[in-house]
Amino acid sequence: MAANNPADANDSRTTAPSAWRAMLDVALPKLSLIPTGVASLLFVYGFVAWTIWLSMTKSTLLPTNSFAGLAQYRVLFSLDTWWVSVINLAIFGLLYVLICLAIGLFLAILLDQKIRAEGWLRTIYLYPLALSLVVTGVVWKWLLNPGLGLQHFIRSLGFSGFTFDWLITPDMAIYAVVIAAVWQASGFVMALFLAGLRSIDDSIIKAAQLDGASLPRVYWSIIIPSLRPVFFSAVILLVSLAIKSFDLVIALTDGGPGYSTWLPAIFMYNIGFDRGQIGLGAASATLMMAAVALAMLPMLIAELRERRHDKQG
Amino acid sequence: MTSRVDPGRRRFSPARLLIYAVLILAAAYYLLPLYVMLVTSFKTLEQISNGSLLSLPSPFTTQGWLDAWGTACTGVDCSGLHRYFWNSVAFTLPAVLISTGVGALNGYILTKWRFRGSELFFGLLLVGTFVPFQMFLLPMAWTLGRIGLANSIAGLILVHSVYGIAFTTLFCRNYYVNVPDELVKAARVDGAGFFTIFWRIILPLSVPILMVSLIWQFTQIWNDFLFGIVFTSGSQHPITVALNNLVNTSSTGIKRYNVDMAAAMITALPTFIVYIIAGRYFVRGLTAGAVKG
Amino acid sequence: AADKGEIDVLNWWTSGSEAKSMGVLQKMLADDGYKMVNDAASGGGGANARTVLKSRIQSNNVPGAAQIKGPQIQQWCDTGLVGNIDQVAQSQNWDKLLAPTIAKGMQCDGHWVAVPFNIHRINWLWINRSVLEKVDADIPASWDDLVATLAKLDKAGITPIAGGGNTWQVATEFDAIVAATGGADFYRKAFIELDQDALASDTMAKSFARLRTIKQYTDPNGTGLSWNHDTGMVVKGEAAMQIMGDWAKGEISNNGATPGKEIACVAMPGSEDTFVYNIDSFEMFQVDSEAKQAGQRAFARTAMSPEFQRRFNKAKGSIPVREGVSLDGFDACAQKAQKAYDKAKSGKALVATMSQDNAEVGAVKGAIFDVIARFYNSDSIKPAEAAKQLAQRVKQAEQMAQL
Amino acid sequence: MSALAIRNVHKRFGDTTVLEDINLEVDEGDFLILVGPSGCGKSTLLNMLAGLEPLTEGEILLNGQRINDRSPRDRNIAMVFQFYALYPNMSVRRNIRFGLQMRKVPRAQQAEIVRNVARILQIEPLLDRKPAQLSGGQRQRVAIGRALARDPALFLFDEPLSNLDAKLRVEMRTEIKLLHQRLGTAMVYVTHDQIEAMTLGNRIAVMNEGRIQQLGSPQDIYDNPVNRYVAGFIGSPAMNFIPCDLVGENGALSLSLSGAGGPAHLPLPEALRARLGAQNKTRVVLGVRPEHVTPAGPSHDSAVDCTVRVVEPTGPDTYVFTQVNEVEVIARCTPGQAPAPEETLALNFDLSRAVFFDPDSDARLA
Amino acid sequence: MSALAIRNVHKRFGDTTVLEDINLEVDEGDFLILVGPSGCGKSTLLNMLAGLEPLTEGEILLNGQRINDRSPRDRNIAMVFQFYALYPNMSVRRNIRFGLQMRKVPRAQQAEIVRNVARILQIEPLLDRKPAQLSGGQRQRVAIGRALARDPALFLFDEPLSNLDAKLRVEMRTEIKLLHQRLGTAMVYVTHDQIEAMTLGNRIAVMNEGRIQQLGSPQDIYDNPVNRYVAGFIGSPAMNFIPCDLVGENGALSLSLSGAGGPAHLPLPEALRARLGAQNKTRVVLGVRPEHVTPAGPSHDSAVDCTVRVVEPTGPDTYVFTQVNEVEVIARCTPGQAPAPEETLALNFDLSRAVFFDPDSDARLA
Ligand SMILES: Nc1ncnc2c1ncn2[C@@H]1O[C@H](COP(=O)(O)OP(=O)(O)OP(=O)(O)O)[C@@H](O)[C@H]1O
Ligand SMILES: Nc1ncnc2c1ncn2[C@@H]1O[C@H](COP(=O)(O)OP(=O)(O)OP(=O)(O)O)[C@@H](O)[C@H]1O
Ligand SMILES: [Mg+2]
Ligand SMILES: [Mg+2]
């Protein structure tokens, strides 16, 4: 008990007020953020600034400093490939994020019901993330190809009218990309939600059941709202993935048919590196970044503001 | 801790059967491509070009796997993937640990040690995730060249850590928001300092999210191709670049799909193992009993 | 033994015969006492390798040689970063060994900066003879013949043409069609000189129209599948023909047939005299140490050596870029290609391919690809319209390149 | 038919047996108080009634129907949790309203009910706050409010007033009592507060070590505990237990108590004398509550002189700690009567209200 | 020099002012009780003392040194949290030991201390459990244990016994008191329990609406509340407040109280008469505690006849609810004296213990 404590062990601390430790208390958290801050300042914001600058130069094969004003942007706006990429990103991004969220959450909730083989199922849902898209793209290409894959298979079962040819239809190919992309990422979203579910206090759920809520209702009214931070994480993650979707599209359609499944990332890589128009590529990157940041800003602000408000309580 | 489901309805109610049915159906969706890959990897080239996509391999051959591991060409070097495996390990492990650790620490600070501007800091960190990495290649190459890390494992560790932190921070922060602040208060009164609280109280409570973060980072870094191909060369290449070289013929080369599929699975093996191990730590109710309210 | 010099070679040849051939080169160099570091970055038809090159330059880690094609050799030359192999070229007398058009492409400002490896012919039509027999047709000799045969095949329920919808494949087909429709001179005017009138001409419109005809006889399900798959279909008789460069031979033998026998190799009807070529070449970059420069010289010397030219090209399905190399042991189609090459060279019908980066810089090629892709995938665009667009986009791209 | 019947209920967590063979009937309109030491299984029992913990054995009947396997939401039970279990994502208002929404109460009525409950619990200004922004007592009131808003077949309260101040607690107690009178709904109520236990319910179940020790009306349990455990548990300060000898013949049995001076012999009242005499014991444990040990008036002849050790004023009463027969004995005085420590005080033992236990078995003797 | 000094402390959450100009001194060896209604800012104040909430204004001195900006771990303060805040990942043993490890207490000693604390708190069998496996009272005891294990310069307790049963509570109370006597460490203790408040500390601070209403010794606060708020807050059941007229001349001032029959005039004691008369009021509020309103003996002439409304037996005492001057008045009887509802009872008001308030300002008059 307390009386047995060695008085000396802490008395020295009380009597000698360590002002520096108090300062450390305030400073340490901030100090610990410095590496991240510096890295982000240099490797993200520095590079972004550089990219913006490049977009206003005449750079072709290599970056140069020859100022070109907004000429690259003017060209950009005149390119059909750019507009196709942008519209594709909008379609793809929206569907991808929404479907991944829906499937991820749904599976997480089901897995949360004390499922026997949870470990295995979880791994099965996750594994697509592990596989290199360079190869899985090929498999999906086969599966979605009408002549080889599902359409062929189902027709061979006797449903000769069955048609599933999105992949080769220019207007629909982007939706086929969504299928494969969802396949790849939804498992991870599931894991994210599952981790969130596991942090929720059981007794709250009990209370809700007593209040007469059905299990779906408990999830809808209590659990899912508490998962809001997880939603936030998942959305940020998925949007970022959507923007960066590159390997998958390349492997699945190589941007085709034609350039009907181009996304800005492909546009940029293709134009900037393959075709040697770095200035134009930088302009596309700049615009896309600005657009996405603008689109995400309301959510970002809402989330961060809300949290601060909660914290007051 | 009891079941989430009403205790009375634990066993084989129709609802549970339905749940299992849906889960298994979902598993089928996820497994279908894997199935195709697996059977293809055990087929002969002839069967691949003649047979049906979904048919079982006959004759069954492990040639694809052997080739992928030992003799397939990834350039001039025709000794399969195994040489590149350790390259990947060498930068993946440090980068995963660094980025996850830093992310957890950041998340802890951003929720439990808020200060004026901490939300802004976080917001700015997040905006960085919206930039396609392709755009960072040249400036990054320039920077790595200047600091002498071009074409090195250390360079890759740096790159992967830096670009992973935003995500790990995001995951952890949004998890810690739900960890009661009172725990930190109690620990502070108990005399624990900033790092002690992190290490002794917060980390043990964040196992599920650390697992998520680990899974994410491991997968992203292990599977990264772009940085690997650009910032390393030749024998330094990570396994994904080797896989890509193995799989991607130039427009004039010939494809060996069985080897490709086998190579893809070999490449993914460590990630599978991480998933299975990490998955065991998804336990329920880590903060249960901490605080009332 | 590898101490006389070294070279770091950036390329995108990673598979099968190509990689093996690079291995041969590496071995030959090693035997001579040079170390060749093979830095392979495959994917995207060289896009990855091109990206790697740029970042390596940014990080001051310049390769000794990099796989670069066609006009890009000149583009890199303009950056002032390229190396010089005049010494080798002179000692081996490259002026004599290479066709003038080709030789010109390897030089910049009067200096040799790149070494060519091989010559592929693009405007080939690969035909499964037995399938033609089935519908009682002969090898088509003219465009109309071809269309008639295609129609027959179609009626018989056989896919007339195997062709993926990949833009580079379509562009390859277009290459052959333009050569067949307008001949070598027109092709040169349009794709190499980028003459606005030629690009917007009726001939170009006609070529587009023919492309659409070809498309109609192409299996839509092939879209997105690789060219290998198409070749396989031809060999198996599921499809009758494929328009593809002569690297298709590898896949034909792979499927158990012999190029030139079961599968006939004929020039795209109408382009018999024209030789649309694809040359793979390596450009040198400025390196600081003497050892590295020595490595560059050895690399160029060995690449042009008759022995390497034979071994490499036999494996790759192309013909040697160096003249006067014996074709003993090469297959029938290679022999045929060599003859066509010789004839075209004298008749000035040797033209660089647009579809494989030999004819124009990336920006312009990209613009052409975009127009072709758009036309191919949207049946509402009229051929004349496409030709006009082509001219306009090419002009814009040229301006961009000189911005 | 009883509203709630608990039959042979057992509960084990792993190896630990928490509840053993619990049997209870709660009638329509009953108000049952559960008391017992910390960790004796009260919350566990409530949880089982609510369907939140599975039974290990036994059955539970609500209005005659076996509900063991019925899901919590089909039991129509409202509960105030010891650990509140407020919905952290909802405002106070929505916390209270949630149960109503689930039961499809019309919107207008919901608002009305919430207003009412908030008024009763004095949390009107807090309705739009989140639980994290509330103090302990405020959270507890919200938890109560959530239950009160409903109209269930059974109310379960798990120490619902523990974090409230005395004044508020009295008010809330009254409210709950009124509610019970108005609705007549059966209630089961866990409390550690003696006053609540004595005044709120019509029956008390005293639990210990997973068993029910005694079930009876408050007054009955207070006056007639069945064993020493119950006697000691109910009442605060606790009953004094004094081991003492029975002296004298059957006809004039008296107790020997020694305080500061020599032993005093206190004659037993008639009724006790007969009952205790019948048991043939010479040594018993006298149980007498502090309020029955009071300073003796001057004219008392059977008082026991004791030395005052500690004096503890509590406001209305002052407790005096002394020693009798070598055990501590607490006496209650009015503040005015209070002696100073070390003084000698003559104490009067009201044996007519005393009870007696077997020193070995702790069972009640008389 | 006082151990703890709180000077002009203010605290606001956003727009809500929670604490306003708090000034308190706690001397070496003091045991200060904080009481006040739910939500008045007690926990907030403790949090600020511990360094867990920043002050909005003011300063805090520990042993003469300003500690506003000192980090919690350098304040050397131990605290029992109202919401326990147990480390869920650690066993009970490690929860208790954590603070010792942080203070670099030698390992052997740690074990010793843990064993000791566990014994006192009766949680020995639970040492290897996780918090989630504990009952409410057990968790609370662990939370106490965590503080007791330490040897701080100041103890802060936030309702530490609220979830314990009465018996255990008395034992814990005694333990805390003994601990305090042995260590002499200053303590600040929040409680809602009247007995704890009255018996544990040597000083009580009554808070309301973010201000300290009165600071004094327990008995002083009980007997001499400075205003009606304090009077009503301390004591349970609460003091009766009866508005009534002062009648009669200066020389023989008396109170007019009417129960069941006509008004009775109760003469004021001498001392009061002077003080009240000086204020020239005709209407006052009489404050009289239930224990001073008792059934009148037969010989009493200044008794007030009242009708009994409710009778509430609590065990030791029985409370009788009646009406005087149209407000509810609670009288205390022994269970034996208790009348039946609707009976008429003559009540004696012990005016010598009564206090008087201004009906308008609620300030104390006399
Ligand atoms: N984060 C916050 N934001 C806004 N108001 C708050 C916050 N935390 C506490 N409050 C308010 O401050 C007041 C004081 O809270 P505190 O917890 O100190 O009360 P308390 O005196 O301890 O009450 P109780 O006895 O119920 O525990 C309460 O009205 C509460 O609602
Ligand atoms: N999940 C669990 N695993 C093991 N033991 C448990 C678990 N939950 C509770 N217990 C034990 O069961 C016993 C009964 O717990 P319960 O919460 O019912 O007690 P209680 O009577 O409500 O106590 P309190 O008055 O302290 O709240 C306790 O000893 C507790 O330690
Ligand atoms: Mg309990
Ligand atoms: Mg509080």
Side-chain angles (χ1 to χ4, degrees), chain D residues 275-302:
Chain D
R275 268 186 285 156
L276 266 185
Q279 318 237 2
N280 254 338
K281 295 264 176 188
T282 57
R283 205 163 163 77
V284 296
V285 173
L286 160 69
V288 57
R289 297 196 178 276
E291 67 264 28
H292 302 136
V293 183
T294 44
S299 61
H300 242 286
D301 45 19
S302 58

Side-chain angles (χ1 to χ4, degrees), chain D residues 13 18 38-44 82 192, chain E residues 129 133 135-138:
Chain D
F13 287 113
V18 171
S38 166
C40 73
K42 305 178 295 294
S43 299
T44 307
Q82 185 170 13
H192 288 316
Chain E
R129 291 215 199 149
Q133 297 172 311
S135 79
Q138 290 164 342

Side-chain angles (χ1 to χ4, degrees), chain A residues 18 44 52 56-57 78 106 117 128 132 147 158 213 226 235 261 273 276 278 281 288 297 302 313:
Chain A
S18 33
V44 177
I52 295 174
M56 296 190 288
T57 67
S78 77
F106 184 62
S132 165
S226 315
V235 169
T261 50
F273 294 106
I278 285 184
M288 187 185 56
L297 214 57

Side-chain angles (χ1 to χ4, degrees), chain B residues 45-46 48-51 72-78 134 137-146 150-151 225-226 229-235 237 241-257, chain C residues 8 12-20 22-23 26 36-45 48-49 51-52 54-61 120 168 226-229 236 238 247 249-251 254-255 278 280 316 356:
Chain B
L45 266 185
E46 195 200 348
I48 293 170
S49 50
N50 292 328
C73 295
T74 56
V76 164
D77 163 54
C78 287
Q134 282 86 355
L137 291 182
L138 294 186
M140 191 48 125
W142 186 87
T143 311
L144 289 180
R146 289 320 103 143
N151 193 19
F225 166 72
L226 191 66
I229 196 173
V230 168
F231 298 133
T232 61
S233 60
S235 56
H237 276 328
V241 176
L243 172 72
N244 179 70
N245 285 347
L246 187 154
V247 167
N248 243 312
T249 56
S250 65
S251 52
T252 56
I254 289 157
K255 284 194 191 299
R256 294 200 293 162
Y257 287 116
Chain C
D8 184 357
W12 62 84
W13 278 340
T14 55
S15 69
S17 54
E18 300 162 335
K20 281 209 188 80
M22 288 303 278
Q26 191 179 42
M36 175 184 137
V37 176
N38 182 63
D39 188 8
S42 73
N48 287 336
T51 308
V52 172
K54 284 160 199 166
S55 6
R56 285 190 61 169
I57 289 173
Q58 284 291 300
S59 64
N60 243 338
N61 179 23
H120 277 298
W168 78 265
S226 69
W227 66 271
N228 318 55
H229 180 261
K236 279 178 275 172
E238 288 167 15
W247 50 82
K249 287 189 293 185
E251 192 69 31
N254 209 41
N255 276 281
N278 168 49
D280 291 303
K316 189 151 169 31
Q356 312 291 319

Side-chain angles (χ1 to χ4, degrees), chain A residues 311-313, chain D residues 126 129 132-138 163, chain E residues 13 16 18 37-44 82 159 192:
Chain A
K311 167 60 189 169
Q312 278 196 350
Chain D
L126 311 176
R129 291 216 199 148
Q133 296 171 305
L134 301 179
S135 78
Q138 290 166 342
N163 274 292
Chain E
F13 286 113
T16 354
V18 171
S38 165
C40 72
K42 305 177 293 298
S43 299
T44 306
Q82 184 170 14
E159 306 189 27
H192 288 315

Side-chain angles (χ1 to χ4, degrees), chain A residues 142-221:
Chain A
W142 290 346
L143 282 172
L144 296 175
N145 184 282
L148 295 175
L150 292 174
Q151 177 182 312
H152 177 75
F153 178 69
I154 292 183
R155 282 189 181 176
S156 72
L157 293 179
F159 304 93
S160 57
F162 180 81
T163 303
F164 184 63
D165 59 356
W166 290 0
L167 192 65
I168 60 165
T169 314
D171 288 342
M172 300 301 290
I174 192 72
Y175 299 101
V177 174
V178 171
I179 293 180
V182 165
W183 167 82
Q184 199 218 2
S186 49
F188 184 74
V189 176
M190 180 278 304
L192 207 53
F193 277 119
L194 195 58
L197 287 176
R198 300 277 144 106
S199 77
I200 290 177
D201 191 354
D202 266 344
S203 59
I204 292 165
I205 296 158
K206 293 180 176 175
Q209 290 188 342
L210 265 188
D211 260 349
S214 62
L215 201 60
R217 188 61 202 246
V218 173
Y219 275 97
W220 182 250
S221 299

Side-chain angles (χ1 to χ4, degrees), chain B residues 1-2, chain D residues 11-19 35-47 53 82-83 158-159 190-192 207, chain E residues 84 126 129-141 163-165 168:
Chain B
M1 277 145 279
T2 49
Chain D
K11 175 71 187 177
R12 279 184 285 277
F13 287 113
D15 296 339
T16 355
T17 299
V18 171
L19 291 174
V35 294
S38 166
C40 73
K42 305 178 295 294
S43 299
T44 307
L45 183 58
L46 291 200
N47 273 319
E53 283 280 2
Q82 185 170 13
F83 294 117
D158 200 351
E159 306 189 28
V190 173
T191 184
H192 288 316
M207 294 174 63
Chain E
Y84 315 166
L126 310 176
R129 291 215 199 149
K130 292 277 176 76
Q133 297 172 311
L134 301 178
S135 79
Q138 290 164 342
R139 286 183 206 181
Q140 195 160 39
R141 278 178 277 164
N163 275 293
L164 303 187
D165 58 89
L168 199 55

